[in-house]
Amino acid sequence: MGVVLRYLIKKSKFLKLLSQNALERKKQEPSQDGPNTPTNLSQSLKTNLDLIKGIIGNNYDVVIREFTFERQRQVNAALIYLSGMTDPTIINESILKPLMFESPFTINSAPKLDDVEMIRTTMLTVGEVNKSANIDEIVDSCLSGSTILLVDNCHEALMIMTADWKSRSVDEPKTESVVRGPREGFIESLLTNTTLLRRKIKNSDLTIESMKIGQRTKTSVCIAYIKGLANPLLIEEIKRRLNDIKTDSILESGYIEQFIEDAPFSIFSTVANTEKPDSAAAKILEGRAAILIDGTPFALTVPMLLIESFQSSEDYYSRPYFVSFIRMIRYLAYAISILAPAIYVALTTFHQELIPTPLLFSMASAQEGVPFPALVEAMGMGVVFEILREAGVRLPRPVGQAVSIVGALVIGQSAVTAGLIGAPMVIVVALTAVASFVVPAQTDSGGILRILFVILAGFSGGFGIMIGFIGLLIHLTSLRSFGTPYLSPLAPLSVSDLKDSFIRAPLWAMIARPRTIGWPDPKRQEFRLKPSPPLEEDTQSK
Amino acid sequence: MKGLIKIIVTLLIIIILTLGTTGCWNRRELPALGIVMGVGIDKAEGTDKLEITAQIIKTSELKSSTPEEGGTGSGSSGAGAYWNVKNSGESMFSTVRGFTHRTSRKLYWPHNQIIIFGQSLAEQGIQEYLDFLLRDQETRLDVLMLVAEDKSSDILSVKSHLEKIPSVGISDLMDSQAANSQTSVIRLNQFVTRLMSPTTAPIAPIISVQGKADNKELAVSGTAVFKRDKLIGQMNKEETRGLLWVINEIKSGIIDIKCPDQEGTVSLEIINAKSKITSEIIDHKPYIKIDVKEEGNIGDQSCTASLVSPDAVAAIEEKENEAIKDEIESALSKAKKLNADVFGFGDILHKKHPKEWQEIKDDWDKIFPDLEVEILVEAKLRRSGNLGPPAAPPEKE
């Protein structure tokens, strides 16, 4: 499939030309406004205001507030801000009030050039205030929620940080719910998200670097990592890939993921995402980097290993024994979700001798009178299931339930009674469907693999499944995520890391960080942390 | 573009090469299979041809009669969930293929449970019919071998009272024989191993129809003894167990002996049995020694004396030794009478004394009837069940 995609993209060279043209046009855009458009502010307040009004003035949410210092009319000033993205209390109490009532300017002392600096240092009781003369920069910061202060006779403006807007409160994540563990999840506000992270890791080495991506959306993107723990080359590579993104919009972390992933033609995702701050913090503490994007509760973490899909943050909060069992169940469920229909098809059409005789009796009698070959049955049921799932996801919850009831009745009951589908096939498809939800991170890859394996099994039985499986393994071993082998610690084998793979060893036994990721600082904790009763000498000495 | 062609060509080469390396495979849906559960091989009446009866499952009947069989009663199920289809022909393979003239589905053999040879055919020799069963890819080597007391098609047409398919009933019947160890359950590969030995005689259980008309039943009634591939005689149940003692095939079973010092019998259950055959050749004359070690429990007693005292246990063990020895001797004398080495003594001598064997192997048929066999039995009584002394009123002094 990847081959076909690659071919299509190579073939459509005009697409490339199109994109080049578009980019060139974009570059030219500013100059199209007229060659006489200045890039810097002038001395005159009126000119400046007209200029900015010309750029963003005819917007519903732009507020331009002109005022004078004290009650004199001589010195004029103006505030420009977006209502809804700013905190009115700050503007009223900390900007307008000191400027209008406590201003040192009089008729005799008109503001001078460096008075902007004076206002910044002495009069504004707001935390973050920057100075700039560049119009683009000023407009950008205004659009991000800053309040712009223009003063007559000054060619510099102040950008006062007043950003504050309505956002969802921190809530339990919908995708990764846990029984035990913190219930807070990331939200759409980047600042809240970095705060949630910072609250987990109170360490000066936690670095959160920021950049803006998207020529039109100017989305804030943060890279969070621990200095000294994350591989510096990894951070460099992430920054390089992020800087290379020249697109006009970043609306969700999925946009970033598709621009920076290692294997865009693979069905396996090489960038992990999480909605939980504790999960992101744990990955950062293993030496990974998190990429937080404004406007989405989904943070990306890189590098991603395949086994991460089978791990859940809850695994580390519960005691190890049952968790290890559940881990194996997850691997089993994934195997079922991609192989069960294929194995069923292979057994019923090629390898009937492998079915135990009593089972063959019931399967043969159930299949009696079914008009379709097993392959068609399996494919059909798979498609019907995907339709039902998609309908259930998109529809509002009460309607979604109705859909699933109708679907369950139609498929589970009527199709079998009508003799369209054998009962064992319904069981297999239902089992597959349930199993595919056990490993949410691999649901999409599982769906494609399932269909592929069913087709292979339908044409060449167990042999086809084997070929497909070998191909899958070859593909998986060839994958890299930011330089880390995707199958590590299984291939290349790292025995010490196996204690957090198919099983989860007790926390006190997991002394080292994963070798392929946390190698700059491998030691996580001290040795001999296993809890035990006090030694006899110790109690005696006390 | 070039790269794409290269990839496609590579893929095609891989697919063609790999598909060519596979074995025999065939795509068949379940409803296209005529699943054979049992097969009977007879001599066609009046001619020299052979007649094969194949028992095929009717999958559609299987479904309808599954849940409410009790409600409809056995009468209404008619022919049942199986179909015995017959075909006759010259050779095994052509006759088997010939079934396609009579059945809508191609016969599917891997789930075949039993092969039954008719008695008249078995007396003529069965080697030529085994070749197909061994050579074909679909047939299995672990299929059970039986000899019918009369015609095998009669056996296959007797309904099983507990199972839907008669062949399954017969195969389950064979499984349950281990509880008595009076039947030599034998599979095709074991039979052929014995057949290929120059001396060892093949054996197979004999199955017969008992009762008449509506009340027919199947029963196992001893062991058929072959000389080379021809049926030459039978062993009854006691003789069969004697044989099984020697060839270490005893799984369980009941031995009845007389109570020591009293009227009545004690039934002893065999828990564990082991035998070892050793051989010697002195002055070109072979000797065989059979060591049997047995452990048993008291399972039942009809006399009232307590049998748990050390003296009584010793007495019982003594009697048990005798009983086991009697069984072995009866088997031995029957085998000598038929001049069929069912125990495989010839093979043991061959393995232990390869040089001396060369001298005597041609005379084995003369040596075997007079072979000196020493039987040593060591029976142990281990437990007495849930009771010690029997539940009886105390004896009056």
Side-chain angles (χ1 to χ4, degrees):
Chain A
M1 206 148 34
V3 179
V4 178
L5 270 177
R6 201 172 297 164
Y7 169 69
L8 281 177
I9 286 171
K10 263 189 193 166
K11 176 88 180 162
S12 53
K13 273 183 184 162
F14 73 94
L15 247 174
K16 217 187 260 174
L17 287 173
L18 199 78
S19 58
Q20 274 171 357
N21 287 348
L23 279 177
E24 274 160 27
R25 214 181 309 136
K26 220 170 280 165
K27 273 177 209 158
Q28 285 159 5
E29 251 168 39
S31 56
Q32 274 169 357
D33 293 343
N36 49 356
T37 309
T39 51
N40 283 335
L41 290 176
S42 66
Q43 294 278 76
S44 153
L45 174 66
K46 199 176 171 313
T47 329
N48 288 344
L49 265 183
D50 285 346
L51 201 62
I52 293 174
K53 265 184 196 167
I55 300 172
I56 55 170
N58 55 350
N59 273 308
Y60 161 70
D61 52 352
V62 171
V63 178
I64 299 178
R65 169 76 158 87
E66 290 172 78
F67 64 97
T68 56
F69 291 98
E70 285 291 325
R71 286 178 190 101
Q72 319 294 335
R73 285 175 180 274
Q74 260 71 8
V75 186
N76 289 313
L79 282 180
I80 306 164
Y81 61 92
L82 299 179
S83 64
M85 283 185 72
T86 47
D87 185 355
T89 336
I90 300 179
I91 295 173
N92 295 346
E93 296 292 319
S94 309
I95 302 173
L96 281 177
K97 203 172 168 188
L99 289 180
M100 290 172 76
F101 293 129
E102 290 143 32
S103 165
F105 302 122
T106 56
I107 315 165
N108 302 327
S109 61
K112 310 237 161 30
L113 266 181
D114 55 344
D115 283 344
V116 170
E117 180 60 27
M118 198 266 288
I119 292 172
R120 191 171 88 95
T121 46
T122 61
M123 295 180 68
L124 292 174
T125 52
V126 182
E128 188 187 335
V129 181
N130 293 314
K131 209 163 57 170
S132 174
N134 184 295
I135 288 185
D136 282 347
E137 201 181 321
I138 290 166
V139 170
D140 280 355
S141 84
C142 178
L143 291 174
S144 318
S146 291
T147 299
I148 310 297
L149 174 64
L150 293 170
V151 183
D152 200 10
N153 265 345
C154 294
H155 71 273
E156 278 182 318
L158 287 183
M159 302 176 292
I160 308 153
M161 194 57 201
T162 50
D164 185 41
W165 52 82
K166 294 274 184 301
S167 69
R168 192 161 64 94
S169 58
V170 173
D171 201 0
E172 192 176 348
K174 290 277 184 300
T175 55
E176 297 163 80
S177 45
V178 290
V179 178
R180 180 170 180 179
R183 305 203 190 285
E184 61 186 10
F186 285 133
I187 60 164
E188 283 77 2
S189 151
L190 180 61
L191 197 65
T192 315
N193 292 351
T194 53
T195 316
L196 287 171
L197 258 188
R198 183 78 75 178
R199 250 173 44 198
K200 299 267 178 212
I201 310 170
K202 298 171 198 72
N203 186 322
S204 57
D205 284 340
L206 176 66
T207 315
I208 303 179
E209 290 184 32
S210 149
M211 58 172 71
K212 283 204 194 310
I213 304 178
Q215 276 136 348
R216 286 196 195 279
T217 58
K218 303 230 162 44
T219 313
S220 302
V221 174
C222 286
I223 311 167
Y225 60 95
I226 292 181
K227 221 185 285 168
L229 192 51
N231 178 2
L233 290 173
L234 169 72
I235 305 301
E236 214 171 279
E237 177 65 15
I238 294 171
K239 280 187 204 156
R240 188 187 68 77
R241 290 190 194 182
L242 287 178
N243 281 325
D244 279 354
I245 303 175
K246 298 275 184 284
T247 179
D248 66 337
S249 61
I250 297 293
L251 295 180
E252 211 272 338
S253 55
Y255 280 53
I256 300 273
E257 178 180 347
Q258 288 165 60
F259 282 117
I260 64 169
E261 64 186 345
D262 290 66
F265 290 114
S266 171
I267 55 168
F268 287 94
S269 145
T270 47
V271 177
N273 64 65
T274 179
E275 218 181 332
K276 286 172 65 63
D278 55 328
S279 178
K283 287 182 178 179
I284 289 173
L285 285 166
E286 279 190 345
R288 291 186 179 85
I291 302 169
L292 303 154
I293 294 102
D294 194 26
T296 175
F298 288 92
L300 305 176
T301 56
V302 286
M304 182 204 184
L305 309 180
L306 182 66
I307 58 164
E308 272 175 59
S309 316
F310 300 93
Q311 297 168 344
S312 142
S313 64
E314 204 178 346
D315 293 356
Y316 304 92
Y317 308 148
S318 315
R319 300 186 66 245
Y321 309 102
F322 187 64
V323 166
S324 300
F325 172 63
I326 290 297
R327 279 265 172 97
M328 288 181 236
I329 292 287
R330 287 194 198 123
Y331 287 97
L332 176 73
Y334 187 61
I336 288 176
S337 79
I338 63 174
L339 288 176
I343 288 174
Y344 179 80
V345 168
L347 283 182
T348 53
T349 49
F350 291 99
H351 315 294
Q352 294 96 347
E353 69 273 9
L354 291 179
I355 309 172
T357 309
L359 184 62
L360 179 75
F361 282 1
S362 49
M363 270 164 65
S365 63
Q367 213 68 17
E368 192 67 37
V370 172
F372 307 113
L375 171 65
V376 176
E377 247 185 309
M379 295 284 287
M381 286 295 286
V383 170
V384 169
F385 164 68
E386 292 297 334
I387 291 172
L388 279 175
R389 195 181 64 87
E390 191 62 18
V393 171
R394 302 288 164 238
L395 284 171
R397 197 154 294 167
V399 192
Q401 269 175 2
V403 166
S404 39
I405 289 167
V406 169
L409 277 180
V410 167
I411 291 177
Q413 198 73 41
S414 316
V416 176
T417 329
L420 290 176
I421 282 163
M425 180 58 85
V426 175
I427 297 169
V428 168
V429 170
L431 177 70
T432 310
V434 175
S436 70
F437 293 124
V438 174
V439 186
Q442 293 295 347
T443 311
D444 44 355
S445 75
I448 295 171
L449 283 176
R450 180 156 63 235
I451 295 168
L452 243 132
F453 274 116
V454 165
I455 293 172
L456 283 172
F459 283 108
S460 46
F463 174 73
I465 296 179
M466 215 53 229
I467 290 289
F469 198 73
I470 292 169
L472 175 67
L473 278 187
I474 291 173
H475 175 64
L476 280 175
T477 43
S478 74
L479 283 183
R480 297 278 184 283
S481 172
F482 285 81
T484 309
Y486 196 51
L487 275 190
S488 102
L490 308 174
L493 183 68
S494 163
V495 178
S496 67
D497 291 344
L498 287 181
K499 58 192 165 196
D500 190 15
S501 56
F502 297 107
I503 56 157
R504 202 277 283 170
L507 286 182
W508 44 260
M510 294 200 285
I511 292 150
R513 296 193 167 85
R515 216 175 61 180
T516 42
I517 293 164
W519 55 266
D521 182 12
K523 197 172 167 191
R524 197 192 323 241
Q525 63 199 18
E526 292 302 319
F527 286 88
R528 297 204 286 167
L529 283 178
K530 187 179 128 194
S532 59
L535 293 171
E536 236 168 71
E537 305 98 65
D538 292 352
T539 43
Q540 274 169 3
S541 63
K542 273 167 201 167
Chain B
M1 197 63 195
K2 244 182 196 172
L4 184 77
I5 291 172
K6 203 174 160 190
I7 290 168
I8 288 176
V9 168
T10 325
L11 279 177
L12 274 178
I13 290 173
I14 291 173
I15 289 168
I16 291 166
L17 285 180
T18 46
L19 282 180
T21 55
T22 56
C24 188
W25 62 275
N26 203 352
R27 186 175 168 280
R28 271 180 294 177
E29 296 287 331
L30 280 183
L33 301 179
I35 300 164
V36 178
M37 291 308 294
V39 63
I41 304 169
D42 284 308
K43 232 169 81 171
E45 269 171 62
T47 56
D48 274 352
K49 286 184 174 177
L50 92 149
E51 182 184 73
I52 298 178
T53 312
Q55 188 158 77
I56 304 173
I57 331 173
K58 286 190 199 168
T59 39
S60 48
E61 297 276 332
L62 211 57
K63 191 189 205 170
S64 59
S65 60
T66 319
E68 61 274 338
E69 199 171 30
T72 51
S74 55
S76 67
S77 62
Y82 64 94
W83 177 38
N84 287 348
V85 57
K86 287 184 188 177
N87 191 32
S88 54
E90 297 290 339
S91 76
M92 199 60 190
F93 201 18
S94 66
T95 317
V96 165
R97 261 305 148 79
F99 274 114
T100 43
H101 297 308
R102 294 163 187 269
T103 62
S104 57
R105 300 177 179 186
K106 194 162 172 279
L107 299 195
Y108 188 67
W109 290 81
H111 287 274
N112 185 17
Q113 306 280 310
I114 50 168
I115 299 170
I116 309 175
F117 284 98
Q119 199 181 10
S120 52
L121 195 79
E123 279 164 356
Q124 281 188 356
I126 57 172
Q127 191 275 325
E128 56 181 303
Y129 311 115
L130 292 178
D131 194 76
F132 165 76
L133 297 170
L134 298 167
R135 201 179 290 277
D136 194 76
Q137 296 95 333
E138 273 195 7
T139 52
R140 292 199 176 187
L141 293 179
D142 65 345
V143 56
L144 291 163
M145 285 246 338
L146 297 108
V147 172
E149 205 174 54
D150 188 20
K151 285 201 71 174
S152 64
S153 54
D154 297 343
I155 305 287
L156 285 174
S157 61
V158 175
K159 269 200 198 103
S160 168
H161 289 280
L162 295 176
E163 314 297 333
K164 275 181 223 135
I165 317 287
S167 301
V168 176
I170 297 171
S171 137
D172 290 353
L173 181 70
M174 288 293 130
D175 280 347
S176 67
Q177 293 306 309
N180 266 317
S181 299
Q182 288 181 328
T183 310
S184 58
V185 178
I186 198 152
R187 296 181 185 276
L188 181 60
N189 53 350
Q190 296 168 323
F191 187 90
V192 172
T193 310
R194 282 170 164 262
L195 182 68
M196 287 168 72
S197 154
T199 53
T200 307
I203 48 172
I206 295 175
I207 192 159
S208 60
V209 184
Q210 292 181 344
K212 279 189 186 128
D214 286 347
N215 208 14
K216 281 186 182 168
E217 281 170 11
L218 291 176
V220 189
S221 55
T223 299
V225 178
F226 289 74
K227 181 85 179 173
R228 303 193 72 79
D229 67 332
K230 291 184 177 62
L231 177 67
I232 52 161
Q234 291 190 13
M235 288 172 122
N236 65 22
K237 285 179 181 166
E238 286 70 36
E239 288 159 356
T240 305
R241 189 152 79 185
L243 163 66
L244 296 183
W245 281 115
V246 179
I247 60 176
N248 205 6
E249 288 283 321
I250 297 282
K251 299 279 187 295
S252 179
I254 308 298
I255 301 168
D256 277 349
I257 55 165
K258 293 234 151 43
C259 279
D261 317 322
Q262 232 180 344
E263 286 288 301
T265 53
V266 183
S267 300
L268 301 164
E269 189 186 2
I270 306 163
I271 300 298
N272 195 359
K274 272 201 180 97
S275 75
K276 202 179 155 196
I277 306 173
T278 46
S279 64
E280 256 184 300
I281 294 187
I282 302 165
D283 290 342
H284 307 290
K285 195 166 182 257
Y287 296 91
I288 296 286
K289 194 173 139 197
I290 303 167
D291 274 300
V292 176
K293 289 205 167 92
E294 188 263 3
E295 284 179 27
N297 296 343
I298 298 179
D300 181 22
Q301 71 175 77
S302 61
C303 46
T304 51
S306 168
L307 299 176
V308 289
S309 66
D311 290 346
V313 167
I316 290 173
E317 285 174 350
E318 188 61 33
K319 281 180 180 265
E320 199 181 356
N321 283 347
E322 287 300 314
I324 294 171
K325 206 170 172 180
D326 283 351
E327 283 182 356
I328 295 175
E329 268 166 359
S330 68
L332 199 58
S333 65
K334 185 55 153 292
K336 283 179 173 172
K337 209 176 105 193
L338 294 170
N339 197 3
D341 180 10
V342 288
F343 308 100
F345 291 150
D347 283 341
I348 288 164
L349 287 167
H350 186 179
K351 277 178 205 157
K352 284 276 166 64
H353 317 281
K355 276 180 196 159
E356 293 91 331
W357 175 250
Q358 297 303 326
E359 298 164 17
I360 57 172
K361 71 172 180 183
D362 295 329
D363 301 328
W364 183 247
D365 277 353
K366 284 174 205 149
I367 294 169
F368 182 70
D370 301 319
L371 188 67
E372 269 188 50
V373 179
E374 191 187 350
I375 303 164
L376 290 175
V377 183
E378 194 185 329
K380 284 264 181 280
L381 188 58
R382 293 298 186 197
R383 278 164 288 272
S384 61
N386 284 349
L387 287 179
E395 283 174 62
K396 280 167 193 157
E397 292 296 319

